[in-house]
Structures are given as C-alpha cells and as structure tokens.
C-alpha cells in the first residue's frame, strides 16, 4: 500500500492575514547590509532578518495547550497524531480569504466528510 503525504504548509509573508483579528506577521531587517557596513569598516556586510508573529501563524493546529493551561503544546505532540487522519480537499488556489462558500458543496455527517 502506498502512503501519500500532503504538505499543508504555506508561505508566510509580511502582512499575511491568518485569522481575522490577529496581527499579521512583520518580516523586516533587524540589521540591513548598509547598516552592518559600519561594523566591518565598510569592507563587508551582513543581513540579519527579523520576524515578529503570533504563535499560530501558518498552518494552524489547535493543540491542547491552546485551551488548557497544562495541556500539551505542539512540541510535545507526536507527529503520528497528525498522520493518517480523515480529511477533505478544498481547492483554494489563488484564494486569499477562505470563507464558508468553499465548503458549501461538502456535507459532513458523524465526523466524516
């Protein structure tokens, strides 16, 4: 039997809205190449990036810690908790905001879609 794995991750970019009401990530220079030249006598330069974002930016998983103070966080959960689970596929190519209309043709019963 062949197992097919599907990568659900997506690119995180400056200004990406992941959940209405939460701040978008800010991706910028901490130290730009131009600024760094002063550290190296103008001979060399480096760039050091900075990323500020809330912890559930990206492909979101509600882990027990989100709801329970002493629940497991993502780093404590085994990868097997996220494999071989039932799911549905929704084509959202080119869609920036996913709303209920993308799910309108799906009918879920007893936890199965």
């Amino acid at each position: 039997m062949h197992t097919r794995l599907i990568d659900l991750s997506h690119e995180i970019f400056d200004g990406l809205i992941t959940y209405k009401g939460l701040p978008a990530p800010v991706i910028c220079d901490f130290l730009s190449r131009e600024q760094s030249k002063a550290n190296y006598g103008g001979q060399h330069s480096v760039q050091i990036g900075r990323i500020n974002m809330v912890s559930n930016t990206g492909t979101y998983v509600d882990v027990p810690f989100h709801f329970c103070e002493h629940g497991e966080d993502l780093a404590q959960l085994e990868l097997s908790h996220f494999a071989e689970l039932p799911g549905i596929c929704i084509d959202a190519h080119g869609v920036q905001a996913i709303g209920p209309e993308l799910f309108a043709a799906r009918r879920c019963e007893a936890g199965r879609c």
Side-chain angles (χ1 to χ4, degrees):
M1 180 177 166
H2 177 71
T3 300
R4 181 176 174 210
L5 301 177
I6 301 172
D7 182 359
L8 298 177
S9 61
H10 60 268
E11 181 180 349
I12 296 173
F13 55 86
D14 187 66
L16 171 70
I17 301 298
T18 59
Y19 191 83
K20 190 176 181 177
L22 293 180
V26 176
I27 302 173
C28 59
D29 286 340
F30 174 77
L31 182 66
S32 71
R33 292 195 178 277
E34 193 59 37
Q35 292 168 325
S36 75
K37 287 180 182 179
N39 296 339
Y40 300 104
Q43 298 291 321
H44 303 283
S45 68
V46 298
Q47 186 273 347
I48 299 174
R50 180 178 181 145
I51 302 171
N52 294 329
M53 62 186 180
V54 295
S55 62
N56 58 350
T57 298
T59 303
Y60 188 78
V61 175
D62 267 331
V63 295
F65 182 74
H66 183 66
F67 297 101
C68 303
E69 181 179 353
H70 301 291
E72 295 171 300
D73 68 14
L74 187 58
Q76 296 169 313
L77 293 174
E78 295 292 327
L79 188 56
S80 62
H81 288 288
F82 305 99
E84 299 182 12
L85 299 172
I88 60 173
C89 181
I90 302 291
D91 185 356
H93 284 93
V95 177
Q96 285 291 327
I98 297 174
E101 65 280 356
L102 286 176
F103 299 90
R106 298 287 182 172
R107 182 177 166 188
C108 298
E109 294 178 11
R112 298 184 69 191
C113 298

